[in-house]
Amino acid sequence: MPTSLSSTQVADATPQPKILQATDSAYAYPLLIKRILQSGVQAGGPHRIIYRDQQSYDYPTLYQRVCRFANALTDLGVRAGDTVAVLDWDSHRYLESFFAIPMLGAILHTVNVRLAPEQILYTLQHAQDTWILTHDDFAPVLAPMQAELPAIRGYLRLTDTPEIATEILPYVGEYEALLAASAASYEFADFDENAIATLFYTTGTTGDPKGVCFSHRQLVLHTLNEVNVLQAPSTDLLHGDRVYMPITPMFHVHAWGVPYSATLMGCEQVYPGRYEPQVLLELIQKHKVDFSHCVPTILSMILSQAQEMDFNGWRVLIGGSALPKGLARKAKSMNIDVRAAYGMSETCPLLTAAFLPAQVRAADFEEQLEWRTKTGSPVPLVDLRLMDVDGHFVPHDGQSVGEIVVRAPWLTQAYFKDPQSSTHLWAHGWLHTGDVASIDEYGRVQIHDRIKDVIKTGGEWISSLALENLISQHPQVLEVAVVGVPDPQWGERPVALIVPHQPDQAPSAAEIRQHLKQAVSEGHLPKWAIPSQIHCVEQIAKTSVGKLDKKRIRRQLDTQAIGAASFISTHE
Amino acid sequence: MPTSLSSTQVADATPQPKILQATDSAYAYPLLIKRILQSGVQAGGPHRIIYRDQQSYDYPTLYQRVCRFANALTDLGVRAGDTVAVLDWDSHRYLESFFAIPMLGAILHTVNVRLAPEQILYTLQHAQDTWILTHDDFAPVLAPMQAELPAIRGYLRLTDTPEIATEILPYVGEYEALLAASAASYEFADFDENAIATLFYTTGTTGDPKGVCFSHRQLVLHTLNEVNVLQAPSTDLLHGDRVYMPITPMFHVHAWGVPYSATLMGCEQVYPGRYEPQVLLELIQKHKVDFSHCVPTILSMILSQAQEMDFNGWRVLIGGSALPKGLARKAKSMNIDVRAAYGMSETCPLLTAAFLPAQVRAADFEEQLEWRTKTGSPVPLVDLRLMDVDGHFVPHDGQSVGEIVVRAPWLTQAYFKDPQSSTHLWAHGWLHTGDVASIDEYGRVQIHDRIKDVIKTGGEWISSLALENLISQHPQVLEVAVVGVPDPQWGERPVALIVPHQPDQAPSAAEIRQHLKQAVSEGHLPKWAIPSQIHCVEQIAKTSVGKLDKKRIRRQLDTQAIGAASFISTHE
């Protein structure tokens, strides 16, 4: 007797499951991505899908375009089990790919276009892609790789300027032309809900990028649940009558799955293409965008460009890194409603969100800050606990600290073709997040640090995140990173890098120390946690998705690659 | 290769699946009812579960009580695969049974206590129940049946007056005493999500009651989806900060599944026990109930008792029968927000709901009526179509009429041990609802009638529902039923039975005819649809769940069992 989670295909990390089978009975109802789209068309009706100032159409048209795309792919020879790579900025075409490719039983590989070319090549080879859809902007990256990609059966052109001919890749066709030539209806078959739908690669701060894949079942369950979270009054982020625009790339964990959730709700959706601050600001104003999500550095960048703009209640869900209180206050001053959520590539991603109980929503903003900036409590169906290094659970008492481990219906079951990392990921039968946290009496998760970013000094642990949060509240600080550097006496000592709001008003180390001493006197920080070195710099190293790249920062500090040239002011 | 919906156990209608198996891998995450409760405890926190004026406790206590109950059942010898019958009014005990019994892997049989004793006996035998939990009120019904229930291993007493001793059944214990003596924690195992969780019997207007069962997976998916529907702004019915009270019995399709949804949301929940209008009204006022659901006749009864009470925006979802416009207006006048939904026992039940788009919500009430009283559009994941008698789909053009057929993840897969009816239910691979409808340009389902209640006259069809809806709008009409009676000339002719608001102000047949002629002149009704007979009566036959019992009404009219005694006024 098989269990219902017949997950062997995914567990084996085989990209080509035999997925197209007749269902075994009349009443079998597999959880397939096509159901999200079909329900969304019913709910969305006249609401529009908008791509910059170039495209705008309603939900019935979205469905027809997905059908046209499916017909075009089928005519080209794309079959169930094929892996189809997409390289594009956030677009309506990407949204259509989110549906059409998995709905055919093929696997959508969302390529991280911010990776270095050699890493992009690695992922295309590792994923065993057989088709590539690429925006003109990435064709020059792909062109020299063709000889190393013999499995590719065809390149398909995505472009905003089809009238400009290009011969850079041997295209089998251009997206809009292929759609126009294809029929507007398609009978999408039922198949096993455990079939892989999507595949993408983590940015891999250590070693090669790792492949993460999700099944139809996992994405449908994540979507149903994310819709609940987004429209609950305790978050009040998105519902069918609001306007959505992603500012987390669609190649990165399906833009946190929100394009699927927004489609199920039937929202108006705005796709901004390449993230250019002025374009983002114009789209937010023009289309009255109600909801977006992004990492703190991106929000920080947008705010620094926005001058005194009133964002009119724009709701922004912050993930990827901790939401600093300083940034939350700045956002509030521009009429932006921010709150934190937590997840990671391996978790599809949603694990927790900052739900505000009614009495907190009624409180003033400073009181709300504690709730908004903590990563909140687990969303429904997520079993989240703290584990020590021996695999024992740690109490949820607000004090005890352990690694966050989770079980949920939408966790990646294995790194793609990487059994060794997978075993580590699922040690003791729980997915290990690599984040160290405590959980308080309200069930709120307080992330203290990445396990590998914790600073060990004199036998004590310092949370780099806690230090960053405190320093970010200094009025002259735009961005801050704190890392541990080796120290012969203490083991490690904290070092802070600061990007000031204005280079000519960079705070001195003494000012920052004074600021932190205030926190020490209020009991928020032990005295010995004040960084030994504090540098103002022009920029801080980040990963391809905009997170602080602490591995690189540590390496830079170690090799003194952050030299005087990049320091605005150096102290100590 | 098995499909994911390994549904053989349920399809075979075997009540004792071997459900307790180890999951096959670390990351298997079956959709089990325990996850609803565990997530609800996190969300609900201090919100309370209230039973009349007798019990009130918070969510952590709910979880502990479910654990105590599970320990008590385990100690008594209840095992996975056992079927446990519950006979109770709507109570906190019932809510705890909704969780504890399936969470053990046992099957919860919710007994329809309004059935005749011989039918209750039939269902207890047919379900192969091995344990019975019964409220004192039903012990006298069960006591004489003991000899015919040899499979019962124990009776458990549910009571509001434990201090009054009773020897009417050989109880193994009393509920609260057993809980008090049991440990407050329990490790609930994982098992196959397709295991049967619940079983109940339809009221069976023809022949014996039919058993309907649902799996853990189906109930979890129904719950996730129902939460989405209830908290969407286009319905605005229930969310975590609102107060819920069922007025559809918990034995009937799990009170439409809302106790599960309310628990997942962490709502305050009020259980009213036996439905007594004054108690219901007091509970609504005392606990500021925001949301309930019921059939039209129950709402009608409540309103007739409420005098001029202001219901303060009480939201009521109406199902089971069509929502008459007259009742909707009456409710509005008492500050009640009503809207229709549609489903049936076999569909868990939710299929459609009256979602109001933003522009309709902004319109005045008379404009909203069209949306509120139609049964709305399909909820997410429900594929709803119209089918003709030959199994062909009928267009959704607002005009064409066909039987509603559906596919969804939460449809009963077979009548329990009744393969013949099951084949009919799932003809052509779609679940047949027995309802005749059209679907308009907005995707709204307009139910015309039950297939068997359509009145065929002179080669044309008359919808008994449409006639009832029109007649209900006459100011003197409290309730109305229209059925077809045999007619030698026309085949069938419509007959209307009316319960007036006040017996001494019963409308005459001529007044009702005049009222309907108005509708004829406005094009809402063909002239020949005006009933041939119109009777005012004291009451109209209803099923055990409060729906018009048209089979019985037709029989009564046929045998003249509705005699002069029960007629207030007779015409024609």
Side-chain angles (χ1 to χ4, degrees):
Chain A
M1 182 66 222
T3 68
S4 53
L5 277 171
S6 54
S7 46
T8 43
Q9 307 135 338
V10 181
D12 294 349
T14 307
Q16 281 91 353
K18 291 176 188 62
I19 52 170
L20 282 182
Q21 311 167 3
T23 52
D24 65 341
S25 69
Y27 45 73
Y29 186 104
L31 299 176
L32 297 174
I33 284 174
K34 69 175 177 179
R35 299 300 184 180
I36 296 174
L37 179 61
Q38 288 162 351
S39 296
V41 171
Q42 170 69 46
H47 291 162
R48 302 191 79 75
I49 311 298
I50 295 162
Y51 173 57
R52 298 174 76 110
D53 56 1
Q54 302 201 3
Q55 282 266 14
S56 172
Y57 51 79
D58 61 14
Y59 271 70
T61 306
L62 170 64
Y63 192 74
Q64 287 172 9
R65 287 175 57 90
V66 168
C67 289
R68 288 178 189 277
F69 188 17
N71 278 312
L73 291 172
T74 303
D75 291 348
L76 286 169
V78 175
R79 293 290 172 267
D82 280 352
T83 305
V84 181
V86 174
L87 294 86
D88 197 3
W89 307 113
D90 288 7
S91 69
H92 62 306
R93 297 176 296 252
Y94 223 140
L95 181 69
E96 290 158 6
S97 301
F98 270 35
F99 289 103
I101 294 169
M103 283 163 67
L104 286 175
I107 299 167
L108 167 67
H109 172 196
T110 60
V111 179
N112 182 342
V113 297
R114 295 200 193 131
L115 291 177
E118 62 271 24
Q119 285 185 305
I120 290 179
L121 176 62
Y122 172 85
T123 67
L124 296 172
Q125 290 172 329
H126 189 267
Q128 300 176 306
D129 292 318
T130 46
W131 298 85
I132 293 181
L133 282 61
T134 184
H135 186 278
D136 287 348
D137 287 357
F138 312 110
V141 177
L142 293 172
M145 297 177 184
Q146 291 177 72
E148 294 175 85
L149 293 168
I152 299 300
R153 300 210 292 275
Y155 294 86
L156 214 138
R157 184 183 174 203
L158 310 176
T159 182
D160 297 336
T161 52
E163 66 282 6
I164 302 174
T166 173
E167 297 299 323
I168 199 164
L169 280 170
Y171 292 120
V172 294
E174 185 273 321
Y175 187 80
E176 289 293 341
L178 286 169
L179 262 60
S182 301
S185 69
Y186 193 100
E187 276 299 314
F188 292 100
D190 273 6
F191 47 79
D192 185 343
E193 67 186 17
N194 291 307
I196 299 178
T198 63
L199 169 65
F200 60 90
Y201 285 77
T202 65
T203 47
T205 51
T206 50
D208 286 322
K210 291 198 195 72
V212 173
C213 54
F214 294 98
S215 68
H216 283 257
R217 170 187 164 107
Q218 291 182 313
L219 288 166
V220 170
L221 290 172
H222 186 272
T223 302
L224 285 177
N225 204 65
E226 189 170 74
V227 167
N228 277 345
V229 170
L230 293 174
Q231 68 177 20
S234 52
T235 69
D236 188 29
L237 293 170
L238 187 62
H239 58 65
D241 295 319
R242 287 193 177 153
V243 181
Y244 162 64
M245 183 174 83
I247 320 185
T248 311
M250 296 175 83
F251 64 73
H252 181 60
V253 213
H254 334 102
W256 301 357
V258 186
Y260 285 125
S261 297
T263 302
L264 187 71
M265 292 175 175
C267 294
E268 190 128 321
Q269 302 183 46
V270 180
Y271 287 90
R274 187 176 185 167
Y275 295 165
E276 299 159 291
Q278 280 311 317
V279 173
L280 295 174
L281 290 170
E282 280 167 30
L283 290 172
I284 290 166
Q285 290 201 297
K286 179 175 177 188
H287 298 293
K288 300 185 169 58
V289 172
D290 295 294
F291 172 65
S292 297
H293 46 78
C294 62
V295 294
T297 47
I298 296 282
L299 180 62
S300 184
M301 176 196 78
I302 291 172
L303 298 194
S304 71
Q305 298 275 319
Q307 312 297 342
E308 299 300 303
M309 177 170 151
D310 182 337
F311 281 85
N312 203 22
W314 184 40
R315 294 158 188 84
V316 181
L317 191 65
I318 295 291
S321 307
L323 168 58
K325 285 187 181 170
L327 180 60
R329 285 201 192 93
K330 168 83 174 157
K332 171 70 176 172
S333 75
M334 299 173 84
N335 201 5
I336 300 172
D337 180 284
V338 292
R339 74 183 62 219
Y342 168 64
M344 53 197 290
S345 297
E346 290 83 349
T347 64
C348 202
L350 197 59
L351 294 177
T352 76
F355 298 100
L356 270 57
Q359 71 274 18
V360 175
R361 301 202 295 277
D364 68 25
F365 184 74
E366 282 297 317
E367 278 190 61
Q368 291 183 15
L369 259 190
E370 272 301 307
W371 289 79
R372 290 179 176 272
T373 57
K374 279 195 180 179
T375 45
S377 50
V379 304
L381 303 192
V382 168
D383 194 352
L384 185 150
R385 308 203 193 166
L386 304 177
M387 195 176 267
D388 68 18
V389 288
D390 301 320
H392 300 122
F393 292 119
V394 166
H396 300 184
D397 56 10
Q399 300 297 321
S400 306
V401 168
E403 181 179 7
I404 298 174
V405 297
V406 287
R407 295 193 64 198
W410 46 77
L411 308 181
T412 200
Q413 305 191 346
Y415 288 117
F416 193 59
K417 298 193 292 182
D418 186 353
Q420 197 171 353
S421 299
S422 304
T423 305
H424 180 73
L425 183 71
W426 279 98
H428 306 292
W430 290 74
L431 186 141
H432 287 247
T433 62
D435 289 312
V436 174
S438 58
I439 299 179
D440 70 14
E441 60 184 308
Y442 303 105
R444 294 179 304 180
V445 177
Q446 173 75 53
I447 295 178
H448 294 247
D449 222 331
R450 294 291 295 167
I451 281 183
K452 58 182 186 292
D453 293 336
V454 167
I455 300 161
K456 294 105 185 167
T457 187
E460 299 286 340
W461 284 18
I462 298 173
S463 160
S464 65
L465 286 189
L467 267 173
E468 287 163 7
N469 193 24
L470 286 168
I471 296 173
S472 78
Q473 295 181 56
H474 187 283
Q476 303 296 341
V477 172
L478 179 64
E479 276 184 349
V480 55
V482 174
V483 297
V485 296
D487 182 277
Q489 184 176 3
W490 302 105
E492 283 188 328
R493 285 298 297 154
V495 174
L497 300 186
I498 289 168
V499 178
H501 273 294
Q502 292 170 326
D504 54 351
Q505 294 180 24
S508 70
E511 284 176 80
I512 298 296
R513 287 225 171 75
Q514 192 53 43
H515 174 72
L516 288 175
K517 279 178 185 158
Q518 181 68 25
V520 170
S521 71
E522 288 166 4
H524 299 318
L525 195 72
K527 193 177 167 196
W528 40 264
I530 294 180
S532 300
Q533 301 176 46
I534 297 171
H535 306 293
C536 281
V537 294
E538 280 176 1
Q539 59 181 24
I540 294 174
K542 303 214 183 65
T543 67
S544 63
V545 292
K547 296 188 204 180
L548 298 174
D549 190 344
K550 295 205 175 171
K551 186 165 157 257
R552 194 139 59 97
I553 294 168
R554 278 190 290 264
R555 204 185 320 125
Q556 288 170 339
L557 286 167
D558 188 43
T559 61
Q560 299 183 312
I562 301 182
S566 69
F567 278 26
I568 297 172
S569 62
T570 325
H571 309 275
E572 211 118 346
Chain B
M1 185 62 220
T3 67
S4 53
L5 277 171
S6 55
S7 47
T8 44
Q9 308 135 338
V10 182
D12 294 348
T14 307
Q16 281 92 354
K18 291 175 186 61
I19 50 171
L20 281 182
Q21 311 166 4
T23 51
D24 65 342
S25 69
Y27 45 74
Y29 186 103
L31 299 175
L32 296 175
I33 283 173
K34 68 175 176 179
R35 299 299 184 179
I36 296 174
L37 179 61
Q38 288 162 350
S39 296
V41 171
Q42 169 69 46
H47 291 163
R48 301 192 80 75
I49 311 297
I50 296 162
Y51 173 58
R52 296 174 76 111
D53 56 0
Q54 303 200 3
Q55 281 267 12
S56 172
Y57 52 80
D58 62 14
Y59 271 70
T61 306
L62 170 63
Y63 192 75
Q64 287 173 9
R65 287 176 57 89
V66 168
C67 289
R68 288 178 189 278
F69 187 17
N71 277 313
L73 291 172
T74 302
D75 291 348
L76 286 170
V78 174
R79 292 291 173 264
D82 280 352
T83 305
V84 181
V86 174
L87 293 84
D88 197 2
W89 307 113
D90 289 8
S91 70
H92 61 304
R93 298 176 295 252
Y94 224 139
L95 180 69
E96 290 157 6
S97 301
F98 270 36
F99 289 103
I101 294 169
M103 283 163 66
L104 287 175
I107 299 167
L108 167 67
H109 172 196
T110 60
V111 179
N112 182 341
V113 296
R114 294 199 193 133
L115 291 177
E118 62 270 24
Q119 285 185 305
I120 290 178
L121 177 60
Y122 171 85
T123 67
L124 295 172
Q125 291 172 329
H126 191 267
Q128 299 176 307
D129 291 320
T130 47
W131 298 84
I132 293 181
L133 282 62
T134 183
H135 187 278
D136 287 347
D137 286 358
F138 312 110
V141 177
L142 293 172
M145 297 177 186
Q146 291 177 72
E148 294 174 85
L149 293 169
I152 299 300
R153 300 211 291 275
Y155 294 86
L156 215 138
R157 185 184 175 202
L158 311 176
T159 182
D160 299 334
T161 53
E163 66 282 6
I164 302 174
T166 172
E167 297 299 322
I168 198 164
L169 280 169
Y171 291 120
V172 295
E174 186 272 324
Y175 188 81
E176 289 292 342
L178 287 169
L179 262 59
S182 302
S185 69
Y186 193 101
E187 276 298 314
F188 292 100
D190 273 5
F191 46 80
D192 184 345
E193 67 186 15
N194 291 307
I196 298 177
T198 63
L199 168 66
F200 61 90
Y201 285 77
T202 65
T203 48
T205 51
T206 50
D208 286 322
K210 291 198 195 72
V212 173
C213 54
F214 294 98
S215 68
H216 283 257
R217 170 187 164 107
Q218 292 182 313
L219 287 166
V220 170
L221 290 172
H222 185 272
T223 301
L224 285 177
N225 204 66
E226 190 170 73
V227 167
N228 278 344
V229 170
L230 293 174
Q231 69 178 20
S234 51
T235 68
D236 188 30
L237 292 169
L238 188 62
H239 58 66
D241 295 318
R242 288 193 176 152
V243 181
Y244 162 63
M245 181 175 82
I247 320 184
T248 311
M250 296 176 83
F251 63 72
H252 181 59
V253 213
H254 335 101
W256 302 357
V258 186
Y260 285 124
S261 298
T263 301
L264 186 72
M265 292 175 175
C267 295
E268 189 127 322
Q269 302 183 47
V270 180
Y271 288 90
R274 186 175 186 166
Y275 295 165
E276 299 159 291
Q278 280 311 318
V279 173
L280 295 175
L281 290 170
E282 281 167 29
L283 290 171
I284 291 167
Q285 291 202 297
K286 179 174 177 188
H287 298 292
K288 300 186 171 57
V289 173
D290 295 292
F291 172 65
S292 297
H293 46 79
C294 62
V295 293
T297 48
I298 296 282
L299 179 61
S300 185
M301 176 196 80
I302 291 172
L303 298 195
S304 70
Q305 299 273 321
Q307 312 298 341
E308 299 301 301
M309 175 170 154
D310 182 338
F311 281 86
N312 203 23
W314 185 39
R315 294 157 189 85
V316 181
L317 190 65
I318 295 290
S321 307
L323 169 57
K325 286 187 181 170
L327 179 60
R329 287 201 191 92
K330 169 83 174 157
K332 171 71 177 172
S333 75
M334 300 173 83
N335 200 4
I336 301 171
D337 180 284
V338 292
R339 74 182 63 219
Y342 168 64
M344 52 198 289
S345 297
E346 290 83 348
T347 64
C348 201
L350 196 58
L351 294 177
T352 76
F355 298 99
L356 271 57
Q359 70 275 19
V360 174
R361 301 202 294 276
D364 68 26
F365 184 74
E366 282 298 316
E367 278 190 62
Q368 291 182 15
L369 259 190
E370 272 301 305
W371 288 80
R372 288 178 177 274
T373 57
K374 280 194 180 178
T375 46
S377 49
V379 304
L381 303 192
V382 168
D383 194 352
L384 184 149
R385 309 206 192 164
L386 304 177
M387 194 176 269
D388 68 18
V389 288
D390 300 321
H392 300 122
F393 292 119
V394 165
H396 299 184
D397 56 12
Q399 300 297 321
S400 306
V401 167
E403 182 179 5
I404 297 174
V405 296
V406 287
R407 296 191 65 198
W410 45 76
L411 308 182
T412 199
Q413 304 191 347
Y415 288 117
F416 192 59
K417 297 193 292 183
D418 187 352
Q420 197 170 353
S421 300
S422 304
T423 307
H424 179 74
L425 182 70
W426 278 98
H428 307 291
W430 291 74
L431 186 141
H432 287 246
T433 62
D435 289 310
V436 174
S438 58
I439 299 179
D440 70 14
E441 60 185 307
Y442 303 105
R444 295 179 305 179
V445 177
Q446 172 74 53
I447 295 178
H448 294 248
D449 222 332
R450 294 291 295 167
I451 280 185
K452 58 181 186 291
D453 292 336
V454 167
I455 300 160
K456 294 106 185 167
T457 188
E460 299 285 343
W461 284 19
I462 298 172
S463 159
S464 65
L465 287 190
L467 267 174
E468 287 163 6
N469 192 25
L470 286 168
I471 295 172
S472 78
Q473 297 181 55
H474 186 283
Q476 302 298 341
V477 172
L478 180 65
E479 275 183 351
V480 55
V482 174
V483 298
V485 295
D487 181 276
Q489 186 178 358
W490 301 106
E492 283 187 330
R493 286 298 298 155
V495 173
L497 300 186
I498 290 167
V499 179
H501 272 294
Q502 292 170 324
D504 54 351
Q505 293 178 23
S508 71
E511 284 177 80
I512 298 297
R513 289 223 169 76
Q514 191 53 44
H515 174 72
L516 289 175
K517 278 177 187 158
Q518 181 68 26
V520 171
S521 71
E522 289 166 2
H524 299 320
L525 195 72
K527 194 176 166 196
W528 40 263
I530 295 180
S532 300
Q533 301 176 47
I534 297 171
H535 306 293
C536 281
V537 295
E538 281 177 357
Q539 58 180 25
I540 293 174
K542 302 212 185 66
T543 68
S544 63
V545 292
K547 295 189 205 181
L548 299 175
D549 189 344
K550 295 203 176 173
K551 187 167 157 257
R552 193 140 59 96
I553 294 168
R554 278 190 292 263
R555 204 187 318 125
Q556 289 169 338
L557 286 167
D558 187 43
T559 62
Q560 299 184 309
I562 302 182
S566 69
F567 278 28
I568 297 171
S569 63
T570 325
H571 308 273
E572 213 118 346

